[in-house]
Amino acid sequence: MKKITVTAIALSMAMAMTGCSGNSTETTAASEAETTAAETSAAETSAAETSAAETSAAEDGEVSVMSYEEYMAAELDSKVVIEASVQAKQSWWEDKATVYAQDEDGAYFLYNMACSEEDYEKLVPGATIQVTGYKTEWSGEVEIIDATFEFVDGEFIAEPFDATELLGKDELIDRQNQLATFKGLTVEPAGKDADGNDVAFLYNWDGSGSEGDDLYFNVSYNGQTYSFVVESYLCDASSDVYAAVKALEIGQTIDAEGFLYWYEGVNPHITSVTVAE
């Protein structure tokens, strides 16, 4: 009798232990399922937040720094962000600066960019800036307007490339705003003075200006004539190039250097003129 009772008790305990073991496995599985669900939820939340951030950035018009190729491919009036190094400063007034900038692939004309007078002094040749603005075009000149900028690390001074053989060719515009040299040009009449005599330069494009205004002069190469200008904001009446152009004589052969500005065709902003020996 006692033996039967003991056996029954032992069997009962074994069944109880088996039941406990089963409950433990079920609890562990449930816990793992809850953890997996939590991780999935967290991942979905993170993805949603990333997507929302990207959507917000797109809605705000945020643009990452572009290569020169991407900048040139951008639509007119679109927002652009570029990094380039100052090559020359044209002007500053009312907290706006106009600057020629360039990187190793191309050049940019930054027109009336927001700039304090203190920062304008820091825009020395070679200084690298990140510029955010809008790409536009005016009479053929592609430029960045309504821009802001910040200084970034880096320095770059461009070497002028010889653009002489590109004069009159369509591919010259691909070098727009770059620093360029022109060699073996012939000085042509720019217009006539008050007495009807041919002159080598004019104050303003039509001769309506006076000392201190832009100087326009014509040069020819391979039978074609081109209009060059000493932009007075870039190189004023006290500059060497201003004096050199005023001293030009029709028929002289000259070399010139400047930035490939565009106005209804190539209209370089000249910074240096040398009369050939």
Side-chain angles (χ1 to χ4, degrees):
M1 183 68 179
K2 290 182 180 179
K3 187 174 181 180
I4 294 173
T5 301
V6 171
T7 301
I9 293 171
L11 181 59
S12 176
M13 291 179 65
M15 292 178 65
M17 291 178 66
T18 302
C20 287
S21 176
N23 289 340
S24 176
T25 301
E26 292 171 358
T27 301
T28 300
S31 177
E32 290 175 348
E34 289 174 357
T35 300
T36 301
E39 290 174 347
T40 301
S41 177
E44 291 174 347
T45 300
S46 177
E49 289 174 347
T50 300
S51 178
E54 291 174 347
T55 301
S56 177
E59 290 175 349
D60 291 341
E62 292 183 10
V63 181
S64 59
V65 176
M66 297 173 160
S67 66
Y68 182 73
E69 183 179 2
E70 289 171 332
Y71 165 75
M72 290 305 295
E75 296 290 333
L76 291 176
D77 300 320
S78 65
K79 188 175 184 179
V80 293
V81 180
I82 61 100
E83 282 188 8
S85 299
V86 175
Q87 303 303 307
K89 298 185 292 187
Q90 178 169 296
S91 62
W92 178 89
W93 68 86
E94 295 182 349
D95 288 334
K96 293 180 180 179
T98 297
V99 174
Y100 301 83
Q102 193 164 333
D103 60 28
E104 293 183 355
D105 298 314
Y108 311 85
F109 188 64
L110 315 175
Y111 182 72
N112 277 357
M113 178 174 63
C115 178
S116 68
E117 187 171 12
E118 179 181 3
D119 280 344
Y120 187 70
E121 295 302 317
K122 298 176 185 176
L123 290 173
V124 296
T128 302
I129 55 177
Q130 183 178 117
V131 180
T132 301
Y134 292 86
K135 178 183 174 182
T136 190
E137 180 182 339
W138 184 73
S139 295
E141 170 65 18
V142 176
E143 56 194 19
I144 298 177
I145 64 170
D146 297 333
T148 59
F149 76 95
E150 60 181 292
F151 291 97
V152 296
D153 292 336
E155 182 176 357
F156 175 70
I157 299 292
E159 290 292 330
F161 83 98
D162 190 342
T164 310
E165 297 303 325
L166 291 180
L167 284 170
K169 297 181 179 179
D170 292 341
E171 54 263 42
L172 184 61
I173 198 170
D174 296 333
R175 299 287 199 131
Q176 189 174 121
N177 296 317
Q178 291 186 26
L179 184 63
T181 59
F182 307 89
K183 299 178 180 179
L185 308 177
T186 301
V187 178
E188 301 290 345
K192 297 182 181 295
D193 61 17
D195 298 322
N197 301 312
D198 287 338
V199 291
F201 73 92
L202 295 173
Y203 291 111
N204 291 338
W205 67 273
D206 59 354
S208 63
S210 58
E211 179 74 8
D213 290 323
D214 297 346
L215 294 182
Y216 280 78
F217 63 105
N218 290 341
V219 296
S220 63
Y221 187 77
N222 282 344
Q224 295 188 61
T225 300
Y226 305 92
S227 177
F228 285 13
V229 58
V230 177
E231 215 286 342
S232 59
Y233 287 130
L234 177 62
C235 299
D236 64 21
S238 67
S239 64
D240 290 342
V241 67
Y242 202 94
V245 170
K246 287 175 58 178
L248 289 178
E249 298 177 5
I250 296 170
Q252 284 182 319
T253 300
I254 65 170
D255 296 336
E257 181 175 305
F259 296 97
L260 277 175
Y261 189 80
W262 226 257
Y263 179 76
E264 304 297 342
V266 62
N267 185 219
H269 285 181
I270 298 302
T271 58
S272 175
V273 166
T274 304
V275 176
E277 296 293 337

